[in-house]
PDB file of all heavy atoms in Angstrom:
ATOM      1  N   ALA E   1       0.878  -1.174   0.000  1.00 97.00           N
ATOM      2  CA  ALA E   1       0.000   0.000   0.000  1.00 97.00           C
ATOM      3  C   ALA E   1       0.910   1.218   0.000  1.00 97.00           C
ATOM      4  O   ALA E   1       1.682   1.405   0.945  1.00 97.00           O
ATOM      5  CB  ALA E   1      -0.909   0.008   1.226  1.00 97.00           C
ATOM      6  N   CYS E   2       0.825   2.041  -1.043  1.00 96.00           N
ATOM      7  CA  CYS E   2       1.851   3.083  -1.162  1.00 96.00           C
ATOM      8  C   CYS E   2       1.344   4.392  -1.747  1.00 96.00           C
ATOM      9  O   CYS E   2       2.143   5.183  -2.256  1.00 96.00           O
ATOM     10  CB  CYS E   2       3.023   2.562  -1.990  1.00 96.00           C
ATOM     11  SG  CYS E   2       2.549   2.041  -3.663  1.00 96.00           S
ATOM     12  N   GLN E   3       0.027   4.655  -1.704  1.00 94.00           N
ATOM     13  CA  GLN E   3      -0.435   5.951  -2.196  1.00 94.00           C
ATOM     14  C   GLN E   3       0.189   7.063  -1.364  1.00 94.00           C
ATOM     15  O   GLN E   3       0.258   6.986  -0.147  1.00 94.00           O
ATOM     16  CB  GLN E   3      -1.956   6.067  -2.146  1.00 94.00           C
ATOM     17  CG  GLN E   3      -2.463   7.362  -2.771  1.00 94.00           C
ATOM     18  CD  GLN E   3      -3.961   7.533  -2.644  1.00 94.00           C
ATOM     19  OE1 GLN E   3      -4.589   6.943  -1.773  1.00 94.00           O
ATOM     20  NE2 GLN E   3      -4.544   8.347  -3.509  1.00 94.00           N
ATOM     21  N   GLY E   4       0.612   8.127  -2.010  1.00 92.00           N
ATOM     22  CA  GLY E   4       1.269   9.221  -1.306  1.00 92.00           C
ATOM     23  C   GLY E   4       2.726   8.935  -1.081  1.00 92.00           C
ATOM     24  O   GLY E   4       3.599   9.688  -1.518  1.00 92.00           O
ATOM     25  N   LEU E   5       3.023   7.841  -0.399  1.00 94.00           N
ATOM     26  CA  LEU E   5       4.403   7.417  -0.179  1.00 94.00           C
ATOM     27  C   LEU E   5       5.098   7.195  -1.504  1.00 94.00           C
ATOM     28  O   LEU E   5       6.244   7.616  -1.707  1.00 94.00           O
ATOM     29  CB  LEU E   5       4.418   6.139   0.659  1.00 94.00           C
ATOM     30  CG  LEU E   5       5.778   5.455   0.846  1.00 94.00           C
ATOM     31  CD1 LEU E   5       6.720   6.349   1.642  1.00 94.00           C
ATOM     32  CD2 LEU E   5       5.598   4.112   1.536  1.00 94.00           C
ATOM     33  N   GLY E   6       4.439   6.509  -2.428  1.00 96.00           N
ATOM     34  CA  GLY E   6       4.995   6.272  -3.750  1.00 96.00           C
ATOM     35  C   GLY E   6       5.356   4.830  -3.996  1.00 96.00           C
ATOM     36  O   GLY E   6       5.838   4.121  -3.105  1.00 96.00           O
ATOM     37  N   ALA E   7       5.149   4.397  -5.232  1.00 98.00           N
ATOM     38  CA  ALA E   7       5.468   3.024  -5.615  1.00 98.00           C
ATOM     39  C   ALA E   7       6.941   2.721  -5.500  1.00 98.00           C
ATOM     40  O   ALA E   7       7.336   1.559  -5.318  1.00 98.00           O
ATOM     41  CB  ALA E   7       4.996   2.768  -7.052  1.00 98.00           C
ATOM     42  N   SER E   8       7.785   3.745  -5.579  1.00 98.00           N
ATOM     43  CA  SER E   8       9.232   3.529  -5.460  1.00 98.00           C
ATOM     44  C   SER E   8       9.624   3.073  -4.062  1.00 98.00           C
ATOM     45  O   SER E   8      10.787   2.771  -3.814  1.00 98.00           O
ATOM     46  CB  SER E   8       9.998   4.794  -5.830  1.00 98.00           C
ATOM     47  OG  SER E   8       9.590   5.904  -5.033  1.00 98.00           O
ATOM     48  N   ALA E   9       8.665   2.979  -3.155  1.00 98.00           N
ATOM     49  CA  ALA E   9       8.932   2.385  -1.847  1.00 98.00           C
ATOM     50  C   ALA E   9       9.196   0.896  -1.956  1.00 98.00           C
ATOM     51  O   ALA E   9       9.774   0.298  -1.037  1.00 98.00           O
ATOM     52  CB  ALA E   9       7.751   2.614  -0.896  1.00 98.00           C
ATOM     53  N   TRP E  10       8.778   0.288  -3.116  1.00 98.00           N
ATOM     54  CA  TRP E  10       9.006  -1.163  -3.220  1.00 98.00           C
ATOM     55  C   TRP E  10       9.438  -1.631  -4.611  1.00 98.00           C
ATOM     56  O   TRP E  10       9.802  -2.787  -4.774  1.00 98.00           O
ATOM     57  CB  TRP E  10       7.802  -1.951  -2.724  1.00 98.00           C
ATOM     58  CG  TRP E  10       6.527  -1.829  -3.514  1.00 98.00           C
ATOM     59  CD1 TRP E  10       5.582  -0.857  -3.411  1.00 98.00           C
ATOM     60  CD2 TRP E  10       6.035  -2.737  -4.513  1.00 98.00           C
ATOM     61  NE1 TRP E  10       4.537  -1.083  -4.285  1.00 98.00           N
ATOM     62  CE2 TRP E  10       4.794  -2.244  -4.961  1.00 98.00           C
ATOM     63  CE3 TRP E  10       6.519  -3.929  -5.059  1.00 98.00           C
ATOM     64  CZ2 TRP E  10       4.032  -2.888  -5.934  1.00 98.00           C
ATOM     65  CZ3 TRP E  10       5.757  -4.574  -6.030  1.00 98.00           C
ATOM     66  CH2 TRP E  10       4.540  -4.054  -6.446  1.00 98.00           C
ATOM     67  N   TRP E  11       9.445  -0.732  -5.613  1.00 98.00           N
ATOM     68  CA  TRP E  11       9.972  -1.138  -6.923  1.00 98.00           C
ATOM     69  C   TRP E  11      10.473   0.086  -7.687  1.00 98.00           C
ATOM     70  O   TRP E  11       9.946   1.178  -7.527  1.00 98.00           O
ATOM     71  CB  TRP E  11       8.951  -1.937  -7.725  1.00 98.00           C
ATOM     72  CG  TRP E  11       7.655  -1.249  -8.068  1.00 98.00           C
ATOM     73  CD1 TRP E  11       6.603  -1.015  -7.243  1.00 98.00           C
ATOM     74  CD2 TRP E  11       7.265  -0.748  -9.364  1.00 98.00           C
ATOM     75  NE1 TRP E  11       5.576  -0.401  -7.915  1.00 98.00           N
ATOM     76  CE2 TRP E  11       5.958  -0.222  -9.222  1.00 98.00           C
ATOM     77  CE3 TRP E  11       7.871  -0.699 -10.614  1.00 98.00           C
ATOM     78  CZ2 TRP E  11       5.252   0.350 -10.281  1.00 98.00           C
ATOM     79  CZ3 TRP E  11       7.178  -0.126 -11.676  1.00 98.00           C
ATOM     80  CH2 TRP E  11       5.886   0.386 -11.502  1.00 98.00           C
ATOM     81  N   PRO E  12      11.498  -0.085  -8.526  1.00 98.00           N
ATOM     82  CA  PRO E  12      12.065   1.043  -9.265  1.00 98.00           C
ATOM     83  C   PRO E  12      11.123   1.481 -10.383  1.00 98.00           C
ATOM     84  O   PRO E  12      10.631   0.651 -11.154  1.00 98.00           O
ATOM     85  CB  PRO E  12      13.369   0.480  -9.859  1.00 98.00           C
ATOM     86  CG  PRO E  12      13.587  -0.843  -9.200  1.00 98.00           C
ATOM     87  CD  PRO E  12      12.249  -1.335  -8.772  1.00 98.00           C
ATOM     88  N   CYS E  13      10.891   2.788 -10.482  1.00 98.00           N
ATOM     89  CA  CYS E  13       9.946   3.292 -11.469  1.00 98.00           C
ATOM     90  C   CYS E  13      10.161   4.786 -11.683  1.00 98.00           C
ATOM     91  O   CYS E  13      10.957   5.419 -10.993  1.00 98.00           O
ATOM     92  CB  CYS E  13       8.503   3.031 -11.028  1.00 98.00           C
ATOM     93  SG  CYS E  13       8.070   3.773  -9.433  1.00 98.00           S
ATOM     94  N   LYS E  14       9.461   5.316 -12.631  1.00 98.00           N
ATOM     95  CA  LYS E  14       9.370   6.767 -12.823  1.00 98.00           C
ATOM     96  C   LYS E  14       8.244   7.231 -11.915  1.00 98.00           C
ATOM     97  O   LYS E  14       7.077   7.236 -12.297  1.00 98.00           O
ATOM     98  CB  LYS E  14       9.068   7.076 -14.294  1.00 98.00           C
ATOM     99  CG  LYS E  14       9.127   8.550 -14.662  1.00 98.00           C
ATOM    100  CD  LYS E  14       8.823   8.741 -16.150  1.00 98.00           C
ATOM    101  CE  LYS E  14       9.098  10.153 -16.613  1.00 98.00           C
ATOM    102  NZ  LYS E  14       8.822  10.321 -18.076  1.00 98.00           N
ATOM    103  N   ASP E  15       8.598   7.623 -10.703  1.00 98.00           N
ATOM    104  CA  ASP E  15       7.593   7.785  -9.653  1.00 98.00           C
ATOM    105  C   ASP E  15       7.022   9.198  -9.623  1.00 98.00           C
ATOM    106  O   ASP E  15       7.184   9.952  -8.662  1.00 98.00           O
ATOM    107  CB  ASP E  15       8.176   7.404  -8.288  1.00 98.00           C
ATOM    108  CG  ASP E  15       7.082   6.961  -7.320  1.00 98.00           C
ATOM    109  OD1 ASP E  15       5.906   6.957  -7.713  1.00 98.00           O
ATOM    110  OD2 ASP E  15       7.419   6.601  -6.178  1.00 98.00           O
ATOM    111  N   HIS E  16       6.355   9.538 -10.698  1.00 98.00           N
ATOM    112  CA  HIS E  16       5.581  10.781 -10.775  1.00 98.00           C
ATOM    113  C   HIS E  16       4.322  10.470 -11.552  1.00 98.00           C
ATOM    114  O   HIS E  16       4.357   9.773 -12.565  1.00 98.00           O
ATOM    115  CB  HIS E  16       6.388  11.886 -11.461  1.00 98.00           C
ATOM    116  CG  HIS E  16       5.775  13.250 -11.292  1.00 98.00           C
ATOM    117  ND1 HIS E  16       4.604  13.624 -11.914  1.00 98.00           N
ATOM    118  CD2 HIS E  16       6.180  14.322 -10.561  1.00 98.00           C
ATOM    119  CE1 HIS E  16       4.305  14.872 -11.580  1.00 98.00           C
ATOM    120  NE2 HIS E  16       5.249  15.313 -10.761  1.00 98.00           N
ATOM    121  N   MET E  17       3.202  11.037 -11.104  1.00 98.00           N
ATOM    122  CA  MET E  17       1.911  10.618 -11.630  1.00 98.00           C
ATOM    123  C   MET E  17       1.624  11.116 -13.046  1.00 98.00           C
ATOM    124  O   MET E  17       0.690  10.635 -13.693  1.00 98.00           O
ATOM    125  CB  MET E  17       0.805  11.084 -10.682  1.00 98.00           C
ATOM    126  CG  MET E  17       0.891  10.473  -9.294  1.00 98.00           C
ATOM    127  SD  MET E  17       0.435   8.734  -9.269  1.00 98.00           S
ATOM    128  CE  MET E  17      -1.349   8.860  -9.421  1.00 98.00           C
ATOM    129  N   TYR E  18       2.403  12.056 -13.536  1.00 98.00           N
ATOM    130  CA  TYR E  18       2.058  12.639 -14.832  1.00 98.00           C
ATOM    131  C   TYR E  18       2.240  11.664 -15.991  1.00 98.00           C
ATOM    132  O   TYR E  18       1.630  11.834 -17.054  1.00 98.00           O
ATOM    133  CB  TYR E  18       2.888  13.903 -15.084  1.00 98.00           C
ATOM    134  CG  TYR E  18       4.234  13.678 -15.752  1.00 98.00           C
ATOM    135  CD1 TYR E  18       4.397  13.887 -17.121  1.00 98.00           C
ATOM    136  CD2 TYR E  18       5.341  13.243 -15.015  1.00 98.00           C
ATOM    137  CE1 TYR E  18       5.627  13.686 -17.735  1.00 98.00           C
ATOM    138  CE2 TYR E  18       6.567  13.040 -15.625  1.00 98.00           C
ATOM    139  CZ  TYR E  18       6.705  13.265 -16.990  1.00 98.00           C
ATOM    140  OH  TYR E  18       7.917  13.060 -17.597  1.00 98.00           O
ATOM    141  N   ASP E  19       3.081  10.643 -15.805  1.00 98.00           N
ATOM    142  CA  ASP E  19       3.421   9.738 -16.901  1.00 98.00           C
ATOM    143  C   ASP E  19       3.093   8.304 -16.500  1.00 98.00           C
ATOM    144  O   ASP E  19       3.569   7.817 -15.475  1.00 98.00           O
ATOM    145  CB  ASP E  19       4.913   9.865 -17.236  1.00 98.00           C
ATOM    146  CG  ASP E  19       5.271   9.285 -18.594  1.00 98.00           C
ATOM    147  OD1 ASP E  19       4.354   8.898 -19.334  1.00 98.00           O
ATOM    148  OD2 ASP E  19       6.473   9.238 -18.907  1.00 98.00           O
ATOM    149  N   GLU E  20       2.264   7.639 -17.304  1.00 98.00           N
ATOM    150  CA  GLU E  20       1.874   6.257 -17.048  1.00 98.00           C
ATOM    151  C   GLU E  20       2.315   5.366 -18.206  1.00 98.00           C
ATOM    152  O   GLU E  20       2.330   5.812 -19.356  1.00 98.00           O
ATOM    153  CB  GLU E  20       0.353   6.139 -16.890  1.00 98.00           C
ATOM    154  CG  GLU E  20      -0.225   6.888 -15.714  1.00 98.00           C
ATOM    155  CD  GLU E  20      -1.733   6.733 -15.596  1.00 98.00           C
ATOM    156  OE1 GLU E  20      -2.353   6.183 -16.544  1.00 98.00           O
ATOM    157  OE2 GLU E  20      -2.299   7.161 -14.584  1.00 98.00           O
ATOM    158  N   PRO E  21       2.623   4.106 -17.927  1.00 98.00           N
ATOM    159  CA  PRO E  21       2.886   3.174 -19.033  1.00 98.00           C
ATOM    160  C   PRO E  21       1.587   2.857 -19.762  1.00 98.00           C
ATOM    161  O   PRO E  21       0.504   2.888 -19.170  1.00 98.00           O
ATOM    162  CB  PRO E  21       3.434   1.938 -18.319  1.00 98.00           C
ATOM    163  CG  PRO E  21       2.766   1.970 -16.975  1.00 98.00           C
ATOM    164  CD  PRO E  21       2.669   3.429 -16.611  1.00 98.00           C
ATOM    165  N   ASP E  22       1.696   2.545 -21.023  1.00 98.00           N
ATOM    166  CA  ASP E  22       0.510   2.155 -21.789  1.00 98.00           C
ATOM    167  C   ASP E  22       0.008   0.777 -21.378  1.00 98.00           C
ATOM    168  O   ASP E  22      -1.176   0.462 -21.530  1.00 98.00           O
ATOM    169  CB  ASP E  22       0.836   2.145 -23.286  1.00 98.00           C
ATOM    170  CG  ASP E  22       1.317   3.505 -23.779  1.00 98.00           C
ATOM    171  OD1 ASP E  22       0.796   4.525 -23.278  1.00 98.00           O
ATOM    172  OD2 ASP E  22       2.215   3.545 -24.635  1.00 98.00           O
ATOM    173  N   SER E  23       0.906  -0.058 -20.889  1.00 98.00           N
ATOM    174  CA  SER E  23       0.569  -1.398 -20.411  1.00 98.00           C
ATOM    175  C   SER E  23       1.695  -1.851 -19.487  1.00 98.00           C
ATOM    176  O   SER E  23       2.724  -1.182 -19.369  1.00 98.00           O
ATOM    177  CB  SER E  23       0.391  -2.378 -21.583  1.00 98.00           C
ATOM    178  OG  SER E  23       1.559  -2.414 -22.388  1.00 98.00           O
ATOM    179  N   MET E  24       1.502  -3.008 -18.844  1.00 98.00           N
ATOM    180  CA  MET E  24       2.487  -3.443 -17.858  1.00 98.00           C
ATOM    181  C   MET E  24       2.400  -4.950 -17.645  1.00 98.00           C
ATOM    182  O   MET E  24       1.308  -5.531 -17.628  1.00 98.00           O
ATOM    183  CB  MET E  24       2.247  -2.723 -16.530  1.00 98.00           C
ATOM    184  CG  MET E  24       3.240  -3.073 -15.434  1.00 98.00           C
ATOM    185  SD  MET E  24       3.058  -2.015 -13.975  1.00 98.00           S
ATOM    186  CE  MET E  24       4.430  -2.619 -12.977  1.00 98.00           C
ATOM    187  N   ALA E  25       3.562  -5.566 -17.459  1.00 98.00           N
ATOM    188  CA  ALA E  25       3.642  -6.970 -17.043  1.00 98.00           C
ATOM    189  C   ALA E  25       4.188  -7.014 -15.616  1.00 98.00           C
ATOM    190  O   ALA E  25       5.069  -6.232 -15.257  1.00 98.00           O
ATOM    191  CB  ALA E  25       4.553  -7.751 -17.974  1.00 98.00           C
ATOM    192  N   ILE E  26       3.652  -7.922 -14.818  1.00 99.00           N
ATOM    193  CA  ILE E  26       4.051  -8.065 -13.420  1.00 99.00           C
ATOM    194  C   ILE E  26       4.297  -9.543 -13.156  1.00 99.00           C
ATOM    195  O   ILE E  26       3.376 -10.367 -13.312  1.00 99.00           O
ATOM    196  CB  ILE E  26       2.962  -7.537 -12.460  1.00 99.00           C
ATOM    197  CG1 ILE E  26       2.578  -6.097 -12.815  1.00 99.00           C
ATOM    198  CG2 ILE E  26       3.427  -7.626 -11.005  1.00 99.00           C
ATOM    199  CD1 ILE E  26       1.308  -5.627 -12.132  1.00 99.00           C
ATOM    200  N   SER E  27       5.516  -9.898 -12.786  1.00 99.00           N
ATOM    201  CA  SER E  27       5.877 -11.294 -12.495  1.00 99.00           C
ATOM    202  C   SER E  27       6.332 -11.368 -11.046  1.00 99.00           C
ATOM    203  O   SER E  27       7.329 -10.745 -10.671  1.00 99.00           O
ATOM    204  CB  SER E  27       6.992 -11.768 -13.429  1.00 99.00           C
ATOM    205  OG  SER E  27       6.572 -11.705 -14.778  1.00 99.00           O
ATOM    206  N   VAL E  28       5.611 -12.123 -10.243  1.00 99.00           N
ATOM    207  CA  VAL E  28       5.862 -12.171  -8.808  1.00 99.00           C
ATOM    208  C   VAL E  28       6.161 -13.606  -8.396  1.00 99.00           C
ATOM    209  O   VAL E  28       5.347 -14.511  -8.637  1.00 99.00           O
ATOM    210  CB  VAL E  28       4.657 -11.625  -8.011  1.00 99.00           C
ATOM    211  CG1 VAL E  28       4.973 -11.595  -6.523  1.00 99.00           C
ATOM    212  CG2 VAL E  28       4.272 -10.227  -8.523  1.00 99.00           C
TER     213      VAL E  28
END
């Protein structure tokens, strides 16, 4: 759960809301 804190609390990303990927794969 990372709203506000940011997704970069647990994975590397471009952690600003202005830019989103068009799609995404997630392997856990």
Side-chain angles (χ1 to χ4, degrees):
C2 59
Q3 185 184 22
L5 173 65
S8 56
W10 66 276
W11 61 284
C13 58
K14 188 179 190 179
D15 205 0
H16 193 290
M17 297 288 285
Y18 88 99
D19 197 7
E20 297 180 351
D22 301 324
S23 57
M24 181 171 184
I26 306 167
S27 299
V28 184

